[in-house]
């Protein structure tokens, strides 16, 4: 089977390490399923991104939805990042992690009045609006509060991001943003909206994009809107590209952030304003693994199954998106390779991590590592089948800390009442 190694997850004496800490020792001490993250991967990835755009005025806003653990958010805040939050809960987490109010963007296609009021009360950098009705609601609430709201409009550039349909957000058929004509009409109403000031324009065309061309096409399209807005007398301070840069899960040919910058900077310089980015997956995906223990091996009519103690409640992506996560042993052995389905214990046929996957034959009690689990893993977890969500560990060199303990059974029922 193929073994993937990196500067952050590598083998020493045939045993997997996260930086300088043994994955097996962590699994034995804290149990499985177990999320393990590399602190230095997160830091290095952030600086790789921001350095690529050093020639222009820019700011990164970490997309909290990709991994909302407080320590993970704080890692990026400490490096200079802002935060892109998609709900009041994510806003709460970002503030707890130390995010500054003037480096927070409130996004989301369905913000409630309470969330808008919270954003205005905190005087965040801006609220990103995605519909005409939302803009009028922001204006109404701001008027009631006696404040002026900074607003950016998310414009849907109608660009095919060439990604999974569930995570494509930039086509006209998607629910996100407004079309060009609607955007221009809304910007032209600046004087009528007494409690709104338009400060930016935004796009986000999708997630897990592995080709730079859709970004370039979208930037060119949105730039035309930006200059049309300028012609009607509205001066925008921000041009927000959103996120969406893909991560390599299975040898995908993903463009580098340097290639991304080289393609986009010539277009972005023409705008003469601050450029904003909202990466999430790019910063976190390959900085984490999910460790699981092998429970049983079984054969049904010639088909091999490896039953592990992780399940779709721990990481939903393989079942939900049919997403690929590479899986390999925590300890390399001379065992022969087999083709097997790697499945969990939940009472659903969709509870699987891989089907017909080539993998080393794994003994009961051994550990497997599911790679590229640093984003859209724990954040999408649940308590289905009354299972407790995993612990999370952040490794920094030869040190580590438990940044979330495993849930207890008491956690599962803490707010329930027997009548």
């Amino acid at each position: 089977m193929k073994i993937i190694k990196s500067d952050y997850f590598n083998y020493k004496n045939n045993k997997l390490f996260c930086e300088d800490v043994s994955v097996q020792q962590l699994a034995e001490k804290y149990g499985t399923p177990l999320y393990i993250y590399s602190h230095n991967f997160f830091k290095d990835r952030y600086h790789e991104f921001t350095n690529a755009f050093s020639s222009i005025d820019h700011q990164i806003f970490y997309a909290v939805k990709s991994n909302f653990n407080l320590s993970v958010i704080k890692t990026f805040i400490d490096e200079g990042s802002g935060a892109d939050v998609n709900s009041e809960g994510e806003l709460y987490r970002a503030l707890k992690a130390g995010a500054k109010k003037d480096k927070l963007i409130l996004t989301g296609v369905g913000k409630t009045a309470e969330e808008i009021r919270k954003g205005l009360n905190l005087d965040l950098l801006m609220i990103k609006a995605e519909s005409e009705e939302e803009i009028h609601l922001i204006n109404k609430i701001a008027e009631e509060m006696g404040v002026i709201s900074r607003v950016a409009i998310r414009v849907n550039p109608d660009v095919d991001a060439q990604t999974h349909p569930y995570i494509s957000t930039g086509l006209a058929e998607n629910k996100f943003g407004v079309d060009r004509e609607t955007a221009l009409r809304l910007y032209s109403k600046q004087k009528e909206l007494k409690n709104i000031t338009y400060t930016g324009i935004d796009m986000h065309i999708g997630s897990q994009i592995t080709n730079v061309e859709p970004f370039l096409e979208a930037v060119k399209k949105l730039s035309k809107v930006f200059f049309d807005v300028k012609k009607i007398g509205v001066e925008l301070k921000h041009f927000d590209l959103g996120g969406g840069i893909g991560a390599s899960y299975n040898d995908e040919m993903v463009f580098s952030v340097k290639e991304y910058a080289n393609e986009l900077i010539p277009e972005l310089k023409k705008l003469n304003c601050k450029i904003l980015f909202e990466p999430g997956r790019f910063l976190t995906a390959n900085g984490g693994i999910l460790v699981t223990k092998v429970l049983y091996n079984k054969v049904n009519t010639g088909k091999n199954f490896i039953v592990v103690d992780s399940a779709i409640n721990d990481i939903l992506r393989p079942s939900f998106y049919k997403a690929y996560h590479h899986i390999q042993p925590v300890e390399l052995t001379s065992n022969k390779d087999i083709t097997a389905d790697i499945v969990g214990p939940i009472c659903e046929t969709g509870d699987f991590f891989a089907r017909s996957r080539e993998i080393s034959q794994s003994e009961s009690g051994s550990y497997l590592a599911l790679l590229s689990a640093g984003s859209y893993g724990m954040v999408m977890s649940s308590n289905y089948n009354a299972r407790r969500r995993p612990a999370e560990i952040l490794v920094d060199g030869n040190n580590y800390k438990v940044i979330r303990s495993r849930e207890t059974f008491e956690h599962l029922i803490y707010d329930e009442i027997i009548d």
Side-chain angles (χ1 to χ4, degrees):
M1 68 167 294
K2 178 175 67 176
I3 298 296
I4 294 178
K5 304 174 185 178
S6 72
D7 291 339
Y8 309 93
F9 294 93
N10 210 338
Y11 287 86
K12 301 177 182 180
N13 297 321
N14 290 328
K15 293 187 177 181
L16 184 63
F17 277 66
C18 175
E19 300 191 20
D20 296 319
V21 176
S22 166
V23 168
Q24 183 165 324
Q25 288 180 11
L26 291 177
E28 289 172 348
K29 183 173 182 178
Y30 296 103
T32 53
L34 181 66
Y35 277 101
I36 301 175
Y37 308 125
S38 164
H39 185 254
N40 284 295
F41 177 93
F42 295 155
K43 287 173 57 179
D44 291 349
R45 204 69 161 158
Y46 175 84
H47 288 289
E48 180 185 358
F49 196 115
T50 194
N51 290 341
F53 287 92
S54 59
S55 64
I56 61 173
D57 185 15
H58 73 282
Q59 175 65 55
I60 293 174
F61 293 81
Y62 168 58
V64 170
K65 65 181 179 181
S66 70
N67 187 323
F68 59 37
N69 184 282
L70 296 180
S71 292
V72 175
I73 300 171
K74 185 176 186 299
T75 296
F76 295 112
I77 297 300
D78 288 348
E79 298 306 311
S81 182
D84 158 40
V85 297
N86 200 59
S87 68
E88 190 172 357
E90 288 187 359
L91 174 59
Y92 179 81
R93 283 179 169 273
L95 291 170
K96 283 288 185 183
K100 303 300 181 187
K101 298 172 186 177
D102 61 353
K103 279 184 158 185
L104 275 165
I105 299 174
L106 180 59
T107 67
V109 71
K111 291 181 284 293
T112 65
E114 289 74 18
E115 286 172 327
I116 291 168
R117 193 170 287 109
K118 180 82 171 190
L120 293 176
N121 189 51
L122 289 169
D123 194 25
L124 306 182
L125 176 65
M126 63 184 177
I127 297 176
K128 192 185 300 181
E130 300 211 23
S131 69
E132 183 169 1
E133 285 192 3
E134 182 186 355
I135 287 172
H136 286 295
L137 179 60
I138 294 170
N139 187 64
K140 178 176 180 291
I141 294 173
E143 181 181 13
E144 292 169 354
M145 295 176 65
V147 299
I148 303 297
S149 175
R150 290 181 292 275
V151 171
I153 297 178
R154 178 171 176 175
V155 180
N156 190 321
D158 196 18
V159 168
D160 185 359
Q162 301 167 28
T163 187
H164 191 286
Y166 285 8
I167 50 178
S168 173
T169 60
L171 288 169
E173 66 191 46
N174 299 137
K175 68 180 180 179
F176 302 93
V178 300
D179 59 71
R180 175 185 180 278
E181 289 70 26
T182 301
L184 289 174
R185 179 168 54 79
L186 292 171
Y187 280 117
S188 70
K189 291 184 174 182
Q190 171 73 89
K191 292 181 180 178
E192 299 174 30
L193 300 166
K194 302 297 185 183
N195 290 81
I196 278 180
T197 179
Y198 288 123
T199 61
I201 190 168
D202 167 84
M203 69 176 194
H204 181 79
I205 61 173
S207 188
Q208 185 55 14
I209 302 168
T210 58
N211 191 329
V212 76
E213 276 70 28
F215 285 110
L216 187 58
E217 180 187 352
V219 166
K220 288 179 177 179
K221 282 188 172 184
L222 197 64
S223 293
K224 290 179 181 178
V225 182
F226 177 89
F227 287 116
D228 286 342
V229 171
K230 192 171 185 177
K231 286 176 186 175
I232 61 178
V234 178
E235 290 289 333
L236 300 179
K237 299 177 181 178
H238 307 129
F239 186 97
D240 189 340
L241 277 75
I245 300 177
S248 180
Y249 289 89
N250 184 27
D251 295 333
E252 298 96 330
M253 295 298 293
V254 182
F255 58 88
S256 71
V257 72
K258 189 172 180 60
E259 292 170 320
Y260 178 65
N262 289 342
E263 289 286 342
L264 297 185
I265 284 174
E267 296 296 324
L268 297 175
K269 281 185 174 179
K270 299 174 185 176
L271 302 172
N272 194 30
C273 71
K274 190 159 192 170
I275 307 301
L276 311 184
F277 300 96
E278 300 165 7
R281 186 192 311 269
F282 173 85
L283 297 176
T284 56
N286 286 311
I289 62 174
L290 175 62
V291 185
T292 185
K293 180 187 283 188
V294 175
L295 299 177
Y296 307 105
N297 286 272
K298 61 185 290 187
V299 181
N300 279 350
T301 60
K303 185 177 180 67
N304 294 305
F305 292 89
I306 299 174
V307 184
V308 298
D309 67 352
S310 293
I312 54 172
N313 76 293
D314 302 311
I315 186 163
L316 184 59
R317 294 186 73 253
S319 180
F320 191 39
Y321 299 123
K322 296 183 172 59
Y324 180 96
H325 284 269
H326 192 68
I327 302 171
Q328 60 195 44
V330 167
E331 182 175 9
L332 301 180
T333 67
S334 57
N335 290 352
K336 69 176 183 179
D337 289 350
I338 61 171
T339 299
D341 284 11
I342 302 167
V343 301
I346 275 180
C347 301
E348 299 280 351
T349 303
D351 183 25
F352 65 88
F353 301 114
R355 285 179 164 160
S356 298
R357 182 73 61 85
E358 184 180 90
I359 189 167
S360 296
Q361 195 165 32
S362 303
E363 305 297 332
S364 176
S366 63
Y367 298 102
L368 299 177
L370 190 146
L371 307 187
S372 308
S375 61
Y376 304 107
M378 188 63 170
V379 291
M380 297 176 74
S381 65
S382 73
N383 293 122
Y384 186 43
N385 274 193
R387 286 171 54 86
R388 298 171 296 159
R389 284 179 288 187
E392 295 174 282
I393 290 177
L394 184 64
V395 175
D396 185 0
N398 58 8
N399 297 309
Y400 69 88
K401 58 183 177 181
V402 178
I403 56 176
R404 178 183 170 124
S405 62
R406 187 176 310 282
E407 284 183 327
T408 65
F409 291 113
E410 286 74 19
H411 283 136
L412 299 183
I413 60 170
Y414 80 98
D415 59 349
E416 294 185 38
I417 298 170
I418 299 176
D419 189 356

